[in-house]
Amino acid sequence: VKDGKFEGLDYSGKEFWLAFMQNFSNENLDQKLFLTGTKNATANISYPLLGWSTTVSVVANQVTSVTIPNKLAGVVTATEPGDSISPTGLYVTSDEEISIYGYSGIPMSTDAYLAIPRRTLGRSYVVTAPVGIYNPLTVSTVLTNAPAEFIVIATENNTTVKIIPSAPTEKYNRLDTIQVKLSKGQTYLVKARVDFDGAGVATNTYDLTGSRVFADKKIGLIGGSQCALIPGITTYSSLLKTLES
């Protein structure tokens, strides 16, 4: 808000915290960042807790593409374990303001999100995470359940995060309070529960939209699903929604 008028969120910046979530399949996954700005810039991209970094030049008014490794130090960077802490926070700094898109893609399961700079991040969020697919042999020859998911990224040490899921997760029930403490660069992934019948066949999964996330320090949040069925096709939906308290 400036001079009493809402001007919207600022999506350009010099510091970003990002993450990638599990796609329909993480095998042969193509993960990229696309960086652009109005001035020449030098950007550093790193996984601080996984010991990886690279520095790139961003030419003014052009797009620089950076491939993100799928695995580092034995850790899959497209975060997989649900209701778990992982070292998969991706940190970007730049000497000039830039904008960033995160891209995650395999055939028939691709999407991207616009990153939000650290200065614009909040401490209170309402999640957008549409229902994913289950028992998907009708859309794939691979039996991979691909539920709704969202990921929290800590930007500071000793960050206390409280999550109230709108539907059952892998380990918690609807409206349970999940409380975790994260260090800078750690992430916490939440996945919707997949229900199974007595024969072990998936029968249902859930929409995590409307889940609430609160923290005592600024956090990043990305919501989506491993794979969502959208009118007759499958696509990976990685959506980012922020709500400042």
Side-chain angles (χ1 to χ4, degrees):
V1 177
K2 183 177 180 181
D3 298 328
K5 296 181 180 180
F6 179 70
E7 295 188 346
L9 295 176
D10 183 359
Y11 292 101
S12 62
K14 296 182 178 182
E15 183 182 16
F16 297 80
W17 278 101
L18 318 169
F20 286 100
M21 299 185 292
Q22 185 175 5
N23 204 312
F24 179 74
S25 169
N26 280 345
E27 186 176 355
N28 299 318
L29 180 62
D30 185 17
Q31 296 179 136
K32 287 185 172 67
L33 294 184
F34 296 103
L35 291 68
T36 189
T38 58
K39 298 180 179 179
N40 291 336
T42 300
N44 181 264
I45 303 163
S46 68
Y47 278 105
L49 301 182
L50 295 175
W52 176 86
S53 69
T54 187
T55 299
V56 297
S57 296
V58 179
V59 179
N61 302 312
Q62 296 186 23
V63 177
T64 298
S65 174
V66 181
T67 298
I68 302 301
N70 291 337
K71 183 178 282 190
L72 292 166
V75 175
V76 176
T77 57
T79 316
E80 292 183 336
D83 291 317
S84 298
I85 296 173
S86 298
T88 52
L90 182 59
Y91 187 48
V92 182
T93 58
S94 174
D95 62 349
E96 298 288 350
E97 292 208 342
I98 57 173
S99 297
I100 302 176
Y101 288 85
Y103 166 89
S104 174
I106 60 174
M108 296 181 64
S109 185
T110 296
D111 208 349
Y113 63 85
L114 174 62
I116 294 179
R118 185 183 182 280
R119 68 165 179 258
T120 311
L121 296 176
R123 298 177 178 87
S124 174
Y125 292 79
V126 177
V127 173
T128 301
V131 65
I133 61 175
Y134 61 93
N135 197 18
L137 290 182
T138 56
V139 296
S140 171
T141 58
V142 180
L143 183 57
T144 301
N145 296 303
E149 58 184 353
F150 63 88
I151 193 167
V152 177
I153 309 129
T155 69
E156 299 181 46
N157 289 327
N158 298 312
T159 298
T160 299
V161 179
K162 183 171 73 173
I163 301 166
I164 303 174
S166 61
T169 73
E170 287 188 347
K171 298 180 182 178
Y172 296 93
N173 295 318
R174 176 180 178 269
L175 301 183
D176 279 354
T177 297
I178 307 167
Q179 186 163 309
V180 294
K181 181 164 283 190
L182 301 177
S183 296
K184 185 176 181 179
Q186 288 185 324
T187 62
Y188 189 85
L189 180 70
V190 177
K191 287 187 178 183
R193 184 178 302 168
V194 178
D195 295 331
F196 297 86
D197 63 17
V201 177
T203 59
N204 187 43
T205 189
Y206 300 88
D207 190 331
L208 289 175
T209 298
S211 298
R212 300 296 302 267
V213 180
F214 307 93
D216 61 349
K217 299 180 176 71
K218 284 189 173 187
I219 55 172
L221 190 144
I222 300 168
S225 64
Q226 280 184 238
C227 191
L229 187 60
I230 300 175
I233 62 172
T234 55
T235 181
Y236 173 75
S237 289
S238 182
L239 308 173
L240 192 151
K241 172 72 174 177
T242 60
L243 178 66
E244 193 88 39
S245 48

